[in-house]
Amino acid sequence: LFEDKNISICGGWYGLLAAFIFSYAIPKRIVSIDINPVCEDIANAINEFQYSQDKFIALTKDMAVSEYISCDTIINTSFEHLENVDMWLNRLREFPGKTIIVQSTNNRKPADHTNCCDSVDELIDRMNFNEKIYAGTMELPHYKRFMVIGKY
């Protein structure tokens, strides 16, 4: 899924997902996008070797206006944090054929979880992919995580 791919991670935070991907796959390049400016330097430091090889870069940007032309795969594990979800979804539709991996949760307790889904079916409906590749639910002790993979 990630071998020899250009990957954009939306809501990349400190670059930990990128570090995990690098630990078991050899993507061409990973771009980690996060709106929080504190994350950029930390993510670049955590992925220092890949950063020095131009295989990783963290950017302080809004994912809803980011450019996805050069990537093959778009990952967003923080769908529940999006305040401008419609803007982001409309942006994604401008780049058909990309593999999009999205996760959300039904955990509404954190104040910044403003865009939760109650089920994997709701996440499927909200993503409204032209092609659904995978959908699943992970049952955790106090909430559920949902993942959908698809393409526009």
Side-chain angles (χ1 to χ4, degrees):
L1 187 62
F2 302 124
E3 290 292 327
D4 205 33
K5 302 289 185 193
N6 287 306
I7 302 166
S8 289
I9 300 175
C10 300
W13 202 45
Y14 291 151
L16 299 177
L17 178 56
F20 178 74
I21 292 170
F22 282 123
S23 75
Y24 77 87
I26 305 173
K28 281 185 186 172
R29 190 163 197 249
I30 297 178
V31 176
S32 182
I33 302 164
D34 203 289
I35 202 164
N36 184 341
V38 171
C39 299
E40 186 174 323
D41 288 340
I42 295 169
N44 286 330
I46 286 173
N47 295 282
E48 180 179 15
F49 177 75
Q50 291 82 6
Y51 178 75
S52 71
Q53 302 293 310
D54 197 33
K55 299 238 177 232
F56 176 85
I57 189 159
L59 302 173
T60 303
K61 293 179 83 173
D62 183 343
M63 71 178 80
V65 295
S66 290
E67 191 62 55
Y68 299 106
I69 288 174
S70 63
C71 71
D72 305 296
T73 305
I74 301 165
I75 303 172
N76 184 342
T77 62
S78 59
F79 190 81
E80 65 271 13
H81 295 272
L82 292 180
E83 293 178 9
N84 54 357
V85 68
D86 290 333
M87 189 172 170
W88 182 67
L89 292 175
N90 289 334
R91 184 70 172 147
L92 291 180
R93 289 182 184 100
E94 295 176 22
F95 302 96
K98 310 288 184 184
T99 299
I100 302 169
I101 302 168
V102 178
Q103 291 184 358
S104 190
T105 181
N106 65 347
N107 180 7
R108 288 180 164 77
K109 288 185 181 177
D112 62 344
H113 282 198
T114 58
N115 192 40
C116 294
C117 294
D118 290 321
S119 68
V120 71
D121 290 330
E122 181 181 349
L123 184 56
I124 290 167
D125 289 345
R126 293 182 74 190
M127 293 307 298
N128 195 25
F129 287 131
N130 294 337
E131 175 188 350
K132 183 181 77 174
I133 298 168
Y134 172 85
T137 300
M138 179 183 281
E139 302 263 349
L140 298 165
H142 302 290
Y143 59 92
K144 296 176 185 175
R145 291 284 301 166
F146 313 114
M147 182 165 67
V148 177
I149 303 174
K151 296 181 179 188
Y152 290 112

